Amino acid sequence: MKPLTKDTNILIVGLGVIGGSYARALSRQGYTVRCITKEQKDIDYALSLGMIKEGSTEVKAEFVQKADLIIFALYPHIFVEWIKEHQHLFAAGTLITDVTGVKSRIVYEVQSILRPDVEFIAAHPMAGRESSGVEYSDDRVFIGANYIITPTERNTPEAIEACKTLGEVLGFARITELSPEEHDRMIAFLSQLTHCIAVTLMTCNEAPMMEQYTGDSFRDLTRIAKINDAMWSELFLLNREALLEQMDAFANEFDRFRTLLKIGDSDGMRETMRRATARRILFDKPQKSN
Amino acid sequence: MKPLTKDTNILIVGLGVIGGSYARALSRQGYTVRCITKEQKDIDYALSLGMIKEGSTEVKAEFVQKADLIIFALYPHIFVEWIKEHQHLFAAGTLITDVTGVKSRIVYEVQSILRPDVEFIAAHPMAGRESSGVEYSDDRVFIGANYIITPTERNTPEAIEACKTLGEVLGFARITELSPEEHDRMIAFLSQLTHCIAVTLMTCNEAPMMEQYTGDSFRDLTRIAKINDAMWSELFLLNREALLEQMDAFANEFDRFRTLLKIGDSDGMRETMRRATARRILFDKPQKSN
């Protein structure tokens, strides 16, 4: 595995909102970026903005073989299928990485089926958009955001290093390593649970006219209820156990608070609110990376 | 009851973040604003910024008697106590209003104990701040926001009209009328439930280091978890039945979604997400009043 340099040939598979944001950042910094994606119109769009050097709607052997680094920005099940079907095309020594939002169920499977002369180092760029499609891609979303690498014992220090460099090049503020399992527990709480809550808030009370009275707090809590149902249902199912655990922890604590209210335990409610207030301060955005 | 004009003498009781925001808006527009509040330092602050003409930490009979309109910006139980203790000071024909976040349990009680020659018209300015204290007051929070008047059969058309004018003068984008009961059901869902959820999110998983990986969606869902525990626990208890009803509706729908995940019903999850997405669009902030 070669270190990441400006000579690195990069192939992005899947030019959606995240793949497109990667393409923008990498081309801007002088890397040679090719892409394979489903729709010719997305390639034309990316070419017109100089986001890629070349693109193809077919799995072009030449593109795959030229690549030193291949970034998969696909739905999880399509990523795994792609590897099974096309991995014979990889040049020996190719490094592959991904952007998938869940890890345990993907990383071990891909690593177990992958050719031994090719290395897969998994990563999760924690920056997203409510809208999908390359026309919504924007590499400014990486600024101030987290990039999480989830190596396993099959990964080499060189691949981990190259993946960190990729995170830096993309502009992420904080690059960290977690095990796939730690990543999935964290993401179940911080991201998947919050999406479940936002969706539930939108579907638990469908009384008319509510929108006429809404304020910013309700809007903030439900912004992410505009959701890509195909992608998120797949991500939820791939992280089912960890997400169910977080949903149960939330439901139990919500029920505890409900009981405090029901029995009129003002002190208990106030103690919980003070604890929430104190803990929330930890989560304020650092001023520097704002 | 006289209509609201620039000659109206206004007394604000309670110069906190909301009372202070009223004072700023009203003084800027040329009204004569006095205040009664607990701390001399808050009066000094307001005087230094021209937010009020005069202030007193005592319930000064002269201030009360001069006032055509008195705005109570107090904790609910203190508001009711204040009326009981000091209503003998009101001049006949005084209009009083409030900013209380719950209505049924306050409006009828105050109207039933109030002198017959004084009228109470209740209102709820739906604009707040996470921080309390006059130094956080800012009347720009009213721009684009909702002002809800909750008249009862005891109210006169003239008082309702004066209260609407007050909402307009303060700069609210939408001024509407709801019954106290409708108001409380709406606020239980749009505001109180969301605060319960935000608090629960902060207390259901206290694992360390989570803040290192957080993204904007978790921050958005928990912004309001920084909460004034004294005020909100009082508001929750004063609206207990309506809030319990909304908490139960949320918990049931959350559990339904959990079951879809548990049994792997992808179609069911996707249908729910599509419904959430479609409904959320209704709640987007109107571009004009932004």
Side-chain angles (χ1 to χ4, degrees):
Chain A
M1 169 58 220
K2 295 182 288 185
L4 198 69
T5 70
K6 294 275 159 141
D7 299 328
T8 307
N9 273 293
I10 297 175
L11 174 64
I12 295 174
V13 182
L15 203 68
V17 63
I18 294 291
S21 302
Y22 272 56
R24 283 177 199 267
L26 295 167
S27 285
R28 182 174 298 146
Q29 303 213 32
Y31 292 89
T32 302
V33 180
R34 293 181 181 83
C35 90
I36 291 174
T37 199
K38 255 189 339 204
E39 305 278 350
Q40 185 60 43
K41 68 170 176 47
D42 294 338
I43 296 171
D44 295 341
Y45 176 87
L47 283 169
S48 75
L49 294 177
M51 292 163 54
I52 54 171
K53 186 186 175 191
E54 305 178 88
S56 168
T57 58
E58 304 295 316
V59 179
K60 217 171 175 176
E62 179 206 337
F63 281 14
V64 179
Q65 277 149 23
K66 269 190 188 160
D68 306 297
L69 171 66
I70 306 182
I71 298 160
F72 287 90
L74 300 171
Y75 282 37
H77 74 279
I78 301 177
F79 173 35
V80 176
E81 288 309 308
W82 202 102
I83 297 293
K84 286 181 186 160
E85 200 170 336
H86 303 294
Q87 65 166 327
H88 62 277
L89 299 174
F90 291 141
T94 304
L95 182 66
I96 74 180
T97 187
D98 72 335
V99 303
T100 316
V102 293
K103 292 304 181 196
S104 310
R105 287 280 297 279
I106 297 297
V107 181
Y108 299 114
E109 180 174 5
V110 170
Q111 288 188 337
S112 72
I113 62 177
L114 195 64
R115 279 168 42 184
D117 59 342
V118 171
E119 183 166 349
F120 171 47
I121 175 79
H124 182 192
M126 287 189 63
R129 279 280 165 118
E130 277 81 71
S131 308
S132 19
V134 66
E135 63 274 27
Y136 292 101
S137 65
D138 180 355
D139 51 321
R140 286 172 299 184
V141 299
F142 303 147
I143 298 169
N146 283 308
Y147 184 79
I148 299 170
I149 302 171
T150 57
T152 71
E153 55 187 18
R154 290 188 188 234
N155 285 116
T156 60
E158 294 76 21
I160 297 171
E161 204 45 49
C163 197
K164 281 186 183 169
T165 307
L166 177 63
E168 285 162 18
V169 166
L170 291 168
F172 282 91
R174 186 191 277 144
I175 296 158
T176 41
E177 288 179 43
L178 287 177
S179 73
E181 293 75 15
E182 287 167 334
H183 169 276
D184 286 355
R185 272 195 300 274
M186 178 275 289
I187 217 71
F189 175 58
L190 287 178
S191 169
Q192 296 189 329
L193 173 62
T194 52
H195 282 78
C196 290
I197 289 170
V199 164
T200 301
L201 258 174
M202 288 318 308
T203 55
C204 74
N205 178 337
E206 300 182 311
M209 310 295 279
M210 281 296 177
E211 65 274 14
Q212 294 210 10
Y213 301 102
T214 192
D216 286 339
S217 61
F218 187 82
R219 284 201 188 93
D220 281 355
L221 264 87
T222 55
R223 181 178 58 85
I224 54 175
K226 284 188 192 163
I227 191 166
N228 176 333
D229 60 291
M231 187 177 79
W232 283 91
S233 60
E234 188 175 342
L235 292 174
F236 285 179
L237 287 169
L238 284 170
N239 202 25
R240 174 154 45 174
E241 294 315 313
L243 177 53
L244 285 173
E245 207 175 289
Q246 296 301 331
M247 289 181 85
D248 289 343
F250 176 84
N252 288 338
E253 175 67 4
F254 190 75
D255 188 61
R256 189 184 71 83
F257 195 83
R258 182 194 178 283
T259 302
L260 294 174
L261 173 63
K262 190 168 170 69
I263 65 176
D265 183 348
S266 177
D267 289 343
M269 285 197 290
R270 291 186 61 179
E271 185 277 326
T272 307
M273 289 180 188
R274 284 195 299 268
R275 203 145 39 86
T277 301
R279 184 160 165 75
R280 180 57 179 76
I281 291 166
L282 298 178
F283 288 73
D284 280 342
K285 210 161 187 168
Q287 291 303 312
K288 255 169 51 182
S289 63
N290 211 332
Chain B
M1 170 57 220
K2 294 181 289 184
L4 198 69
T5 68
K6 295 274 160 142
D7 298 328
T8 307
N9 273 293
I10 297 176
L11 173 65
I12 295 175
V13 183
L15 204 67
V17 63
I18 294 293
S21 302
Y22 272 56
R24 283 177 198 266
L26 294 167
S27 285
R28 182 174 300 143
Q29 301 212 31
Y31 291 90
T32 301
V33 179
R34 293 182 181 84
C35 89
I36 292 173
T37 198
K38 253 186 342 199
E39 305 278 349
Q40 184 61 42
K41 69 171 175 45
D42 295 338
I43 295 170
D44 295 341
Y45 177 88
L47 283 169
S48 75
L49 293 176
M51 291 163 55
I52 55 171
K53 186 184 176 193
E54 304 178 88
S56 168
T57 58
E58 304 295 315
V59 179
K60 218 172 173 173
E62 179 205 337
F63 281 14
V64 179
Q65 276 150 23
K66 268 190 186 160
D68 306 297
L69 171 67
I70 306 182
I71 298 161
F72 287 90
L74 299 171
Y75 282 38
H77 74 279
I78 300 176
F79 172 36
V80 176
E81 288 311 307
W82 202 102
I83 297 292
K84 286 182 187 162
E85 200 169 336
H86 302 293
Q87 65 166 324
H88 63 277
L89 297 175
F90 292 140
T94 304
L95 182 66
I96 74 179
T97 187
D98 71 338
V99 304
T100 316
V102 292
K103 291 304 181 197
S104 310
R105 288 278 300 278
I106 297 297
V107 181
Y108 300 114
E109 181 175 4
V110 171
Q111 289 188 338
S112 73
I113 62 177
L114 196 64
R115 278 168 42 186
D117 58 343
V118 171
E119 182 165 351
F120 171 46
I121 173 80
H124 180 192
M126 287 188 64
R129 279 280 165 117
E130 279 81 71
S131 307
S132 18
V134 67
E135 63 275 27
Y136 293 101
S137 65
D138 181 355
D139 51 321
R140 287 171 300 184
V141 300
F142 303 147
I143 298 169
N146 284 308
Y147 185 79
I148 300 171
I149 302 170
T150 57
T152 71
E153 56 187 16
R154 290 188 188 234
N155 284 115
T156 59
E158 294 75 23
I160 297 171
E161 204 47 50
C163 198
K164 281 187 182 168
T165 307
L166 176 63
E168 285 162 17
V169 166
L170 291 167
F172 283 90
R174 187 190 275 145
I175 295 158
T176 42
E177 287 179 45
L178 287 177
S179 73
E181 294 75 16
E182 287 168 332
H183 169 276
D184 286 354
R185 272 195 301 275
M186 179 275 289
I187 215 71
F189 174 58
L190 287 178
S191 169
Q192 296 189 328
L193 173 62
T194 54
H195 282 77
C196 291
I197 289 170
V199 165
T200 301
L201 258 173
M202 288 318 306
T203 54
C204 74
N205 178 337
E206 298 182 311
M209 310 293 280
M210 281 297 178
E211 64 275 15
Q212 294 212 7
Y213 301 103
T214 192
D216 286 339
S217 61
F218 187 82
R219 283 202 190 92
D220 281 356
L221 264 87
T222 55
R223 181 177 58 84
I224 54 175
K226 282 187 194 165
I227 191 166
N228 176 334
D229 60 290
M231 187 178 77
W232 282 91
S233 59
E234 187 175 341
L235 292 174
F236 285 179
L237 287 170
L238 285 170
N239 202 25
R240 174 152 47 176
E241 294 315 314
L243 177 53
L244 285 173
E245 206 175 291
Q246 296 300 331
M247 289 182 85
D248 289 344
F250 176 84
N252 288 338
E253 175 67 3
F254 191 75
D255 189 61
R256 188 184 71 82
F257 195 83
R258 184 195 176 282
T259 302
L260 294 175
L261 174 63
K262 191 169 169 69
I263 65 175
D265 184 349
S266 176
D267 289 344
M269 284 196 290
R270 293 185 60 180
E271 185 276 327
T272 306
M273 289 180 189
R274 284 195 298 269
R275 203 145 40 87
T277 301
R279 184 159 164 77
R280 180 56 179 76
I281 291 166
L282 298 177
F283 287 73
D284 280 342
K285 209 162 186 167
Q287 290 302 312
K288 255 171 49 184
S289 64
N290 213 332

